[in-house]
Amino acid sequence: MKKLISLIIGAFFLIVLIVTAYFVNSISNDFKNSDAFASVIELIEKNQTTIPVINKQFEVSYFIGGDLNSELAHFNFRVYSQERKFVVYVDLERNQSDFWEIVDFEAKEK
């Protein structure tokens, strides 16, 4: 009986873990495919931030946190350049021309 209860509890936690990973991955992919996130990546690629990028060689972490709606966006993610790691916090808002404008950009070296 104890073995059956342990198996049920283990299966429950496994299902919760799989569902959580699925939703986190889905939200992260929505962020990565958004115009707002693309504008942040473009800014980093053009080396217009405090993150040193040489020949557009950098990586963005797999998971991206934040909020995204039709008017405002906030992202937090990690960027790995050739030499250093950064935690990036970005706030954006949609301007009158319907483009995303970066309001605040902060990159902390990790």
Side-chain angles (χ1 to χ4, degrees):
M1 188 64 168
K2 285 184 179 183
K3 200 173 193 179
L4 179 63
I5 292 173
S6 321
L7 185 62
I8 291 171
I9 291 172
F12 172 76
F13 282 116
L14 181 63
I15 290 170
V16 168
L17 179 68
I18 290 170
V19 169
T20 302
Y22 172 78
F23 283 114
V24 166
N25 186 36
S26 175
I27 291 169
S28 185
N29 284 336
D30 289 344
F31 287 163
K32 285 182 181 179
N33 295 328
S34 71
D35 292 338
F37 189 73
S39 64
V40 173
I41 295 301
E42 182 179 331
L43 186 75
I44 294 171
E45 281 179 349
K46 290 182 178 178
N47 218 5
Q48 297 176 347
T49 64
T50 57
I51 301 171
V53 176
I54 302 169
N55 296 330
K56 297 182 181 182
Q57 294 183 355
F58 67 95
E59 291 185 34
V60 176
S61 62
Y62 186 73
F63 293 112
I64 299 170
D67 299 314
L68 175 65
N69 62 40
S70 61
E71 298 297 321
L72 298 171
H74 169 75
F75 298 118
N76 57 333
F77 56 94
R78 293 180 187 258
V79 172
Y80 304 98
S81 70
Q82 290 179 335
E83 300 170 358
R84 298 182 276 187
K85 299 178 204 175
F86 294 88
V87 178
V88 177
Y89 301 95
V90 184
D91 293 320
L92 300 100
E93 66 182 14
R94 196 176 293 270
N95 61 19
Q96 299 288 340
S97 305
D98 206 31
F99 292 109
W100 287 100
E101 183 179 324
I102 296 176
V103 177
D104 187 31
F105 183 95
E106 183 179 357
K108 295 182 179 179
E109 190 171 352
K110 202 68 174 162

